[in-house]
Amino acid sequence: MNRLLALALAVLVHTLTLAFVAVGLWTAYVNSGLLIGWLFGGLLVAIGWMLRPRLSTGLPADAEVLDRSAAPELYGLAERVADRVGVPRPHRVAVRDLDPRTRYLRTGPRRTPTLTVGLPLWLALSPRQRVTMLAAACAETPSAEEVVVDGALSTLAEWREALLGAAPLRVREEAQTKVTAASLTAEHPGTGYEVAGLLGRAIGRVLGGPVLLVEYVLTRLARSDEGRRRRRREERALRAVPAADLAELEALAAGGRYLAPMQAAALRGESVASIRAGALDRVLPGDGVRTSAPGAQVLGSAESDRIDEELERHYDRAVRGFGLIS
């Protein structure tokens, strides 16, 4: 029930956004001979554009996109895991030096599937755990329903900021303070800017009340559906890896116990190969050999080694910055 209510409310928010654009275009068309018609129509279209749902994200500033020709093994692994999980194959694969997280993103206006690999954790994982890491990232891809609801929440956040978040310009406030202080009279009449600002904030608070109410209700409905979202992500990930591997990776990443020894080794000036060998000794059981490798059919040791060769230059750069990770 909550799921349907959230979806209906989100569709209503998107319909209102489209209404601004439609009314703006209609106004400009009907009054094409009048300047005021073009101005008012353009204003409505601009409001609709400002309130559009943010369906994609930009690539992180520190991410470096790899050419497919320079990393064919990594691209192939990403595609095999994406196929198993049931999401579109990533068109781009990028690496991040200091962020341990691996994420599956939709970037740019065309919502291009992009996989960003966090090198600090990636360097410390066995081939099996690397497959698990990619599967967990791909499983985070939101469903169409979640995109609709999350987009409506972003639209409501834009409404809230526009109506309630606006404040007088600091420069104008400072200028007004100086004028008042320099005035010879005890009282200084308010300027048109102050009156307009006060009127605008009053209107914003009146219109902002319903916006806050709708945002509160939709947020509560989305949170109540979080359990189902989590189960859906787990079910997707389980198509590629067993539940025990997911739990193991989650514990390793959450504890961060893999990082301190790697940082210490980097400070001692050890090579990337030595740092990785030490990390594998810590994450693999017993003598470092796993008798059964659930991820072997997706990524074997030889393929994993070739990926390391493809990323060698990026590892060298990342290791030099490990001391900056907290």
Side-chain angles (χ1 to χ4, degrees):
M1 184 62 179
N2 288 345
R3 173 186 174 188
L4 294 178
L5 287 175
L7 188 58
L9 193 57
V11 170
L12 180 62
V13 171
H14 291 309
T15 301
L16 180 61
T17 302
L18 290 175
F20 273 103
V21 177
V23 173
L25 293 175
W26 179 82
T27 301
Y29 176 76
V30 172
N31 302 281
S32 58
L34 300 175
L35 177 61
I36 187 65
W38 281 100
L39 292 177
F40 186 67
L43 176 62
L44 293 177
V45 172
I47 292 175
W49 174 257
M50 181 190 72
L51 300 178
R52 72 193 186 281
R54 272 53 172 182
L55 299 180
S56 62
T57 59
L59 194 66
D62 62 335
E64 180 181 353
V65 178
L66 305 176
D67 291 333
R68 180 179 289 271
S69 59
E73 287 289 347
L74 182 56
Y75 269 89
L77 172 62
E79 292 172 350
R80 293 194 298 273
V81 174
D83 289 343
R84 288 196 168 217
V85 174
V87 299
R89 291 183 170 187
H91 293 180
R92 299 190 299 176
V93 176
V95 294
R96 304 183 68 183
D97 292 352
L98 303 181
D99 191 339
R101 296 173 300 172
T102 291
R103 302 174 62 193
Y104 182 98
L105 306 173
R106 295 281 193 163
T107 59
R110 300 178 63 180
R111 303 191 69 234
T112 303
T114 303
L115 186 71
T116 62
V117 178
L119 294 183
L121 182 55
W122 177 265
L123 183 61
L125 299 181
S126 66
R128 173 182 57 87
Q129 291 170 326
R130 286 178 169 180
V131 173
T132 304
M133 185 177 181
L134 296 185
C138 291
E140 294 288 334
T141 306
S143 64
E145 176 186 322
E146 293 168 3
V147 169
V148 171
V149 174
D150 293 343
L153 286 172
S154 72
T155 293
L156 291 170
E158 293 292 336
W159 268 108
R160 171 169 43 78
E161 180 64 24
L163 294 173
L164 301 173
L169 293 176
R170 183 180 298 275
V171 175
R172 293 299 299 266
E173 282 190 321
E174 292 175 352
Q176 180 62 31
T177 301
K178 293 178 181 178
V179 170
T180 303
S183 176
L184 298 178
T185 59
E187 296 182 0
H188 194 278
T191 63
Y193 173 79
E194 290 178 316
V195 174
L198 180 62
L199 179 61
R201 288 192 293 276
I203 295 175
R205 284 174 171 78
V206 172
L207 298 179
V211 172
L212 289 176
L213 178 61
V214 173
E215 184 181 25
Y216 172 78
V217 172
L218 186 56
T219 300
R220 290 295 300 269
L221 291 173
R223 287 178 179 173
S224 67
D225 196 41
E226 185 59 33
R228 188 187 63 83
R229 291 189 179 194
R230 190 181 305 110
R231 289 192 297 272
R232 182 194 63 81
R233 292 193 292 265
E234 291 176 354
E235 290 172 357
R236 276 186 166 182
L238 290 175
R239 299 173 185 172
V241 294
D245 288 359
L246 287 173
E248 178 188 43
L249 178 66
E250 183 178 359
L252 177 64
R257 64 180 187 271
Y258 67 92
L259 183 58
M262 295 173 64
Q263 289 175 316
L267 291 175
R268 290 193 299 268
E270 295 185 17
S271 66
V272 172
S274 176
I275 293 174
R276 172 155 175 77
L280 290 179
D281 288 341
R282 289 185 291 272
V283 300
L284 290 178
D287 58 359
V289 178
R290 174 175 286 272
T291 55
S292 61
Q297 54 185 323
V298 181
L299 178 67
S301 297
E303 292 87 349
S304 182
D305 291 341
R306 285 197 291 271
I307 291 176
D308 288 333
E309 293 174 2
E310 295 172 352
L311 299 179
E312 183 176 2
R313 177 174 60 88
H314 305 280
Y315 287 156
D316 290 337
R317 184 184 60 211
V319 165
R320 291 195 295 268
F322 274 5
L324 301 176
I325 305 175
S326 58

